[in-house]
């Protein structure tokens, strides 16, 4: 399960600036299309990822900002630089129409518009308002995504 543990200091492959990790899940009906689109995007931009992981998800739960949905999750690591950051933003925007969700625990660059098109925020925002949490418990991510 932990293949990278076999490679000492694997994270140094990305250089001093580190890496970006993008993980998203796509519903089963669109999985082949979106995964194929990912490899086309990478190839067209001449980008390389040292690690791409695919996993199948089962049923989802009822949590308001839950990541898992029935489908395939894709995780990829790219060297941290402006070209790769732009690639991830552009790719996330292009696949948003297929019902994808970005994994928020690994996100550092998702934009507000793509996020709002991915998740149903109404119930989540009602809870924050009800308990007056909008002035507390903020993070850089919650401010960036307007949670």
């Amino acid at each position: 399960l932990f293949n990278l543990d076999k490679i000492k200091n694997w994270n140094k492959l990305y250089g001093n600036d580190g890496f970006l990790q993008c993980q998203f899940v796509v519903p089963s009906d669109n999985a082949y299309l979106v995964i194929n689109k990912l490899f086309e995007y990478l190839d067209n931009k001449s980008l390389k990822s040292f690690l791409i992981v695919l996993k199948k998800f089962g049923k989802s739960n009822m949590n308001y900002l839950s990541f898992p949905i029935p489908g395939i999750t894709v995780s990829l690591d790219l060297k941290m630089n402006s070209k790769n950051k732009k690639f991830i933003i552009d790719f996330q925007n292009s696949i948003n129409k297929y019902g994808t969700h970005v994994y928020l625990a690994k996100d550092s660059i998702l934009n507000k518009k793509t996020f709002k098109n991915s998740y149903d925020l109404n119930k989540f925002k009602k809870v924050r308002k009800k308990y007056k949490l909008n002035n507390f418990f903020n993070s850089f991510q919650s401010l960036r995504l307007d949670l």
Side-chain angles (χ1 to χ4, degrees):
L1 291 176
F2 305 100
N3 293 328
L4 287 178
D5 288 348
K6 295 176 185 174
I7 303 170
K8 188 175 180 175
N9 299 317
W10 64 267
N11 57 316
K12 292 185 178 182
L13 290 169
Y14 298 98
N16 291 336
D17 291 332
F19 65 96
L20 288 166
Q21 186 171 71
C22 173
Q23 185 171 356
F24 62 91
V25 62
V26 60
S28 300
D29 293 348
N30 296 321
Y32 179 80
L33 174 77
V34 171
I35 293 168
N36 194 43
K37 188 182 267 281
L38 171 65
F39 288 113
E40 285 177 9
Y41 256 69
L42 288 169
D43 194 41
N44 289 339
K45 302 287 184 185
S46 299
L47 299 176
K48 307 288 184 251
S49 175
F50 293 119
L51 181 66
I52 297 177
V53 177
L54 304 173
K55 295 178 186 175
K56 185 175 181 180
F57 276 165
K59 63 182 181 175
S60 58
N61 62 42
M62 299 304 291
N63 295 336
Y64 301 144
L65 296 180
S66 184
F67 172 66
I69 57 174
I72 304 294
T73 182
V74 180
S75 178
L76 66 144
D77 296 350
L78 294 166
K79 183 177 177 146
M80 173 67 87
N81 61 41
S82 58
K83 180 181 178 182
N84 289 340
K85 188 174 178 179
K86 182 174 176 4
F87 161 76
I88 291 174
I89 291 168
D90 291 346
F91 184 71
Q92 287 174 341
N93 290 338
S94 77
I95 63 171
N96 196 244
K97 62 187 170 198
Y98 298 108
T100 60
H101 288 189
V102 171
Y103 187 31
L104 298 176
K106 294 183 179 179
D107 166 62
S108 63
I109 60 176
L110 181 66
N111 67 51
K112 192 184 316 185
K113 181 181 176 192
T114 303
F115 173 66
K116 287 184 177 187
N117 289 333
S118 299
Y119 288 90
D120 180 8
L121 300 176
N122 294 330
K123 290 179 183 177
F124 181 78
K125 285 194 169 194
K126 283 180 185 175
V127 169
R128 282 184 61 103
K129 187 174 181 179
K130 178 180 177 181
Y131 294 103
K132 299 179 180 155
L133 298 174
N134 289 336
N135 297 327
F136 306 102
F137 305 113
N138 284 319
S139 65
F140 289 124
Q141 182 185 55
S142 70
L143 295 172
R144 175 173 39 92
L145 300 176
D146 191 27
L147 285 174

